Amino acid sequence: MKRPIYITDLDHTFLRSDQRVSNFSAKVWNEKAESAILSVATARSFQKSHDFLEKLHLDAPMILLDGSMIVAPDKTLIDIKTVSKAVADAVIDEGAQFGIYPFVIALKDMEMNEAFLFPTTLNTHQQGVLENYRNDPRMVECKNIRAMEMNLKIVYFAEHQTLLPLTEHLKKTFGSELEYKLSPEKYSDGWFLTVLHPEGDKAHALQKVADHLGRETSDITVFGDSVNDIGMFKLAGTSVAVANALDEVKAVADVVLPHSNDEDGVAKYLAGC
């Protein structure tokens, strides 16, 4: 009998709002890992995901940075989708016309060492995000921000009225050369626009993970809460939204849980509660 496969988003889905894994969730995960394959699909990086999940048994490929990278827990790279320096720099230049500069998350080498580039000129939303990254060794301040060779994602944080026209402009300028995801940021009242390789999203990554495991996507149950989970929800056999998920995510979910991330919704589902 094939082991069931469960893949969960982290922020606002499996993690509580204080960005930790509860003892209950850790216990359920580790017990379930004895009979099932469990992993994550997150906007977080390899190192951040490992930090959050240090209490959990992990042996399956992890979907990271919105789907732009799939990595085994031992750092074996399974797949990567990067935006070239030329295209990323062009995106930065287009954004500059709107008076906003992005964060750039890039890979420095194939040992999974990352760089988090941020501009000297920051808006209040960006300043708030950076508060969570103090003393992070990946951080690089850039007076004149330019991309690196292996760019995993380009992220803008601002108010909706700034990012909506920028999103439309980038779509007209770059078309299908890139993927664009505009979503509300639940940790603040701002919005974020994530720009990725066109196959650097969670849906494409989910297919890659299924192929790697020799399984069908119909065998996989996924959990999520936000816009970047929707493609994955449509592809998976079973999609589960936590109670605090966005309405547009609940609309495409097979199951909407009665419990939120702060009530350990994913763990209660896994435990059959």
Side-chain angles (χ1 to χ4, degrees), residues 80-102:
I80 187 169
K81 293 289 187 285
T82 61
V83 178
S84 71
K85 177 173 173 52
V87 172
D89 280 341
V91 170
I92 293 169
D93 290 340
E94 295 298 326
Q97 297 178 33
F98 288 74
I100 183 169
Y101 298 88

Side-chain angles (χ1 to χ4, degrees), residues 8 47 53 103 109 115 127 173 180 193-194 221 241 247 258-259:
T8 182
Q47 189 56 56
L53 306 176
F103 299 145
D109 54 47
Q127 289 170 358
T173 305
Y180 320 85
L193 166 63
T194 304
T221 297
D247 288 342
H259 304 109

Side-chain angles (χ1 to χ4, degrees), residues 31-32 41 46 74 110 115 130 178 185 195 211 230 264 269:
E31 289 175 350
K32 195 74 174 179
F46 180 86
D74 65 358
M110 299 313 291
L130 290 184
L178 294 165
E185 167 51 50
V195 182
D211 293 344
I230 290 176
D264 299 321
Y269 180 94

